[in-house]
Amino acid sequence: MKKIGVILSGCGFRDGSEIHEAVCALLAIDQAGAEAVCMAPDIELNEMNHCSMELTGAKRRVLVESARIARGKIRNISEVQAAELNALVLPGGFGAALNLCDFGQKGAAASVNPEVARLTQEIHAAGKPIGAICIAPALIAAILGKEAHPTLTIGTDPGTAAEVEKTGAKHQDCPVNEIVIDQANRIVSTPAYMLAERISEVYEGIGKCVKTVVEMA
């Protein structure tokens, strides 16, 4: 059975992984006959109240919060090697741009969590496919933009697309229910909640993205 790594960034779209996107990705992996291997870095995040959409001032752990989505079956990303996996999938949510990297604050000048960068680079160097959802393509651009110049999509937002292209990556506009495939770099991306208004739209794009990634693996 193919093993698909899923990098989570917390639990909740404002300060972690977008839960709908993460669950849709996990469902699509299972439906494709593959096994999800959930992981996250063991770092702090700034807690967001998802009712008021305001920071609480409290801190939480990315790994501990991500375990909620993974039903406790999760690993510290520092312990995961590319050789264990056939592919990698990254759901979106602000956590991808705030916890896994700081693209949400610095745009193209973003720095990336060292373990997230390491595993992504190892997967890419091994020729294994990567799926990036919602804002996660910006994270991939921050990691691989300068060297691999991948073609990615975050939907149609011109400001975010411009920052993605400053990394050396190429942005391609894409509707919510479709995917962009970079065959040379074996990277598949889809806009999800960068554009979606309904969870069914999210699942349609993510389903296509994950199916393609698993088939490539």
Side-chain angles (χ1 to χ4, degrees):
M1 181 180 288
K2 295 176 182 178
K3 295 184 183 296
I4 313 300
V6 180
I7 302 181
L8 300 174
S9 60
C11 183
F13 82 105
R14 293 289 294 189
D15 60 9
S17 292
E18 210 300 319
I19 297 170
H20 293 177
E21 292 176 359
V23 173
C24 285
L26 294 173
L27 175 59
I29 289 168
D30 182 63
Q31 289 179 328
E35 177 185 348
V37 179
C38 294
M39 67 195 78
D42 189 12
I43 56 175
E44 283 190 335
L45 63 81
N46 294 308
E47 181 187 67
M48 179 75 74
N49 182 318
H50 279 66
C51 289
S52 66
M53 299 304 172
E54 296 177 350
L55 288 168
T56 67
K59 301 282 188 180
R60 295 196 180 202
R61 304 296 297 184
V62 170
L63 182 62
V64 173
E65 292 302 295
S66 298
R68 295 174 180 269
I69 296 174
R71 293 176 57 84
K73 191 175 181 181
I74 196 161
R75 295 172 62 186
N76 188 325
I77 192 171
S78 66
E79 301 171 354
V80 181
Q81 303 300 317
E84 303 176 52
L85 306 173
N86 298 104
L88 199 61
V89 170
L90 296 89
F94 280 97
L98 296 175
N99 303 334
L100 304 185
C101 70
D102 54 10
F103 184 92
Q105 298 163 323
K106 298 182 180 179
S111 58
V112 181
N113 175 274
E115 291 299 330
V116 173
R118 172 195 62 80
L119 184 59
T120 303
Q121 289 166 341
E122 288 177 357
I123 289 286
H124 182 260
K128 297 178 180 182
I130 298 171
I133 297 162
C134 190
I135 193 61
L139 170 62
I140 300 301
I143 298 170
L144 301 175
K146 289 181 181 179
E147 295 183 1
H149 311 294
T151 298
L152 304 158
T153 191
I154 49 81
T156 58
D157 179 70
T160 307
E163 290 300 313
V164 166
E165 294 209 323
K166 287 178 186 177
T167 68
K170 180 181 178 182
H171 181 266
Q172 182 175 317
D173 283 356
C174 179
V176 63
N177 59 346
E178 289 298 337
I179 58 177
V180 167
I181 304 173
D182 181 337
Q183 293 284 4
N185 284 298
R186 297 171 64 77
I187 297 172
V188 187
S189 50
T190 190
Y193 273 119
M194 291 295 289
L195 292 175
E197 296 181 358
R198 305 192 315 276
I199 190 172
S200 58
E201 293 177 334
V202 170
Y203 183 66
E204 186 174 359
I206 290 177
K208 291 176 181 178
C209 177
V210 169
K211 182 176 184 291
T212 302
V213 166
V214 173
E215 288 174 349
M216 283 182 168

